[in-house]
Amino acid sequence: MTNQTNRQFLLAKRPVGAATRETFTYQEVPVGEPQAGQILVKNEYLSLDPAMRGWMNEGKSYIPPVGLGEVMRALGVGKVIASNNPGFAVGDYVNGALGVQDYFLGEPRGFYKVDPKLAPLPRYLSALGMTGMTAYFALLDVGAPKAGDTVVLSGAAGAVGSVAGQIAKIKGCRVVGIAGGADKCKFLIDELGFDGAIDYKAEDVVAGLKRECPKGVDVYFDNVGGDILDAVLSRLNMKARVVICGAISQYNNKEAVKGPANYLSLLVNRARMEGFVVMDYAAQFASAAQEMAGWMANGQLKSKEDVVDGLETFPETLMKLFNGENFGKLVLKV
């Protein structure tokens, strides 16, 4: 493989505010050969996720930060083209932390095989991948919805929110999505079967919540934080559950994170707010994926991928997440 070139994006500095092209170093290096226990993967699709912004920060978190000078961390799917590991054969397709590069060379820690005949490869990064696992466990385990509950989701047309909302519908809930723009709100209702939608770019969210959730909110699945979290806290029902899955509105803040001002609503309504990290459920991924694949097969669950072509576009494509430009799961085609 030494005649092949591997294009890579390395983390050059820890950004203050938004990550830009200057946050990364671009380099081209020769592709090596797998040593004992290693595999060589030709990356085909990379998952672009809001969590990537957090991985660039130094400090304690649920996962170590990306080191300066290291290939930027990214989940992806690709094809094994050389192997020195008995668990993986040439021709296998794998899902794992491949990094923002053309080729992954190393030990396949946490990698697992996927079948492109059962679903398109990008789907293993959306509904059948970590995105789907996040939606499934955050909603069902932390949110604990019951039939008849009103479930509200922010970032509802995004990768996680769109799947979580559909699962809430499958479980017999009234589902209301908060999203930015008329097209996204129309998609939630017409395509995904949500019961209501609130366009935060065109209307007051509190007024929208009063209209769409006249009986209050039982489960709030939060992907954005900030003012929208505050608005929903003002509408909680007794014993409501608030799932803190993400806070994309805060990730590029240059100042301190804006916390909830309406948190006393939790006290008044004996409600709870709980954080969620998907890797806590790794042992249950296989059974969840099987159930979700069944829902997809019978038409109850749809998955939308927003695929952008070209590894070289990585820094600008990543910013689509924070500008609200992606429609569904953002995937980079290498």
Side-chain angles (χ1 to χ4, degrees), residues 234-266:
S234 71
R235 300 291 298 165
L236 294 184
N237 283 337
M238 194 68 67
K239 293 289 186 182
R241 286 82 68 201
V242 178
V243 184
I244 303 298
C245 187
I248 198 168
S249 73
Q250 303 298 301
Y251 292 162
N252 288 327
N253 275 9
K254 294 182 180 178
E255 298 84 30
V257 167
K258 180 185 183 295
N262 280 338
Y263 78 97
L264 286 178
S265 178
L266 298 169

Side-chain angles (χ1 to χ4, degrees), residues 104-132:
F104 167 87
L105 176 63
E107 293 182 21
R109 293 194 185 99
F111 284 39
Y112 59 92
K113 297 173 190 175
V114 299
D115 188 348
K117 298 190 194 70
L118 295 180
L121 286 175
R123 196 142 300 161
Y124 289 106
L125 299 175
S126 58
L128 295 179
M130 210 63 77
T131 296

Side-chain angles (χ1 to χ4, degrees), residues 1-10 21 24-32 71 100-103 311-313:
M1 296 303 301
T2 49
N3 61 340
Q4 298 288 338
T5 298
N6 189 15
R7 300 173 298 163
Q8 298 178 317
F9 280 93
L10 283 59
R21 185 165 281 273
F24 306 97
T25 300
Y26 173 80
Q27 69 177 21
E28 297 183 3
V29 297
V31 177
V71 174
V100 184
Q101 54 188 344
D102 288 305
Y103 296 91
L311 183 76
E312 67 280 359
T313 71

Side-chain angles (χ1 to χ4, degrees), residues 1-333:
M1 296 303 301
T2 49
N3 61 340
Q4 298 288 338
T5 298
N6 189 15
R7 300 173 298 163
Q8 298 178 317
F9 280 93
L10 283 59
L11 185 64
K13 59 185 179 183
R14 304 210 178 276
V16 177
T20 64
R21 185 165 281 273
E22 287 66 45
T23 304
F24 306 97
T25 300
Y26 173 80
Q27 69 177 21
E28 297 183 3
V29 297
V31 177
E33 296 280 353
Q35 304 303 307
Q38 295 185 335
I39 62 173
L40 179 65
V41 179
K42 189 175 191 309
N43 300 346
E44 298 203 11
Y45 295 93
L46 299 176
S47 176
L48 300 189
D49 301 290
M52 295 171 78
R53 178 60 188 81
W55 298 341
M56 300 177 203
N57 295 335
E58 202 159 25
K60 185 176 182 292
S61 186
Y62 62 90
I63 189 172
V66 177
L68 294 177
E70 291 181 0
V71 174
M72 182 60 206
R73 182 185 296 142
L75 300 176
V77 288
K79 186 177 184 179
V80 177
I81 58 173
S83 177
N84 211 340
N85 184 305
F88 296 87
V90 171
D92 284 345
Y93 284 86
V94 294
N95 187 321
L98 300 178
V100 184
Q101 54 188 344
D102 288 305
Y103 296 91
F104 167 87
L105 176 63
E107 293 182 21
R109 293 194 185 99
F111 284 39
Y112 59 92
K113 297 173 190 175
V114 299
D115 188 348
K117 298 190 194 70
L118 295 180
L121 286 175
R123 196 142 300 161
Y124 289 106
L125 299 175
S126 58
L128 295 179
M130 210 63 77
T131 296
M133 297 301 102
T134 299
Y136 183 97
F137 290 107
L139 179 75
L140 297 181
D141 192 72
V142 182
K146 303 181 295 293
D149 278 353
T150 294
V151 176
V152 175
L153 308 98
S154 57
V160 172
S162 60
V163 174
Q166 291 178 85
I167 296 173
K169 283 299 296 179
I170 290 168
K171 297 299 181 180
C173 301
R174 172 176 172 76
V175 179
V176 175
I178 303 172
D183 288 345
K184 289 183 179 180
C185 289
K186 188 175 186 327
F187 168 74
L188 293 178
I189 293 170
D190 294 351
E191 296 292 323
L192 301 187
F194 283 32
D195 298 289
I198 299 166
D199 181 356
Y200 74 85
K201 291 184 176 179
E203 63 177 313
D204 178 72
V205 174
V206 173
L209 288 165
K210 287 178 180 175
R211 181 188 70 243
E212 300 294 345
C213 310
K215 296 181 179 178
V217 177
D218 299 298
V219 179
Y220 175 48
F221 193 113
D222 188 28
N223 290 304
V224 304
D227 293 336
I228 291 177
L229 170 59
D230 256 345
V232 183
L233 287 176
S234 71
R235 300 291 298 165
L236 294 184
N237 283 337
M238 194 68 67
K239 293 289 186 182
R241 286 82 68 201
V242 178
V243 184
I244 303 298
C245 187
I248 198 168
S249 73
Q250 303 298 301
Y251 292 162
N252 288 327
N253 275 9
K254 294 182 180 178
E255 298 84 30
V257 167
K258 180 185 183 295
N262 280 338
Y263 78 97
L264 286 178
S265 178
L266 298 169
L267 184 156
V268 172
N269 294 295
R270 289 71 140 185
R272 66 173 166 85
M273 182 186 290
E274 185 174 336
F276 171 84
V277 174
V278 68
M279 291 314 297
D280 294 346
Y281 295 84
Q284 299 161 255
F285 284 175
S287 59
Q290 193 170 11
E291 183 168 28
M292 292 178 70
W295 289 335
M296 294 182 84
N298 64 26
Q300 289 178 283
L301 180 64
K302 297 177 181 177
S303 180
K304 183 177 178 63
E305 292 84 37
D306 186 343
V307 180
V308 177
D309 203 5
L311 183 76
E312 67 280 359
T313 71
F314 163 67
E316 291 76 24
T317 303
L318 181 65
M319 282 311 299
K320 286 180 59 147
L321 287 170
F322 302 96
N323 298 330
E325 296 172 34
N326 62 303
F327 204 152
K329 175 72 188 82
L330 188 59
V331 175
L332 188 64
K333 186 175 190 290

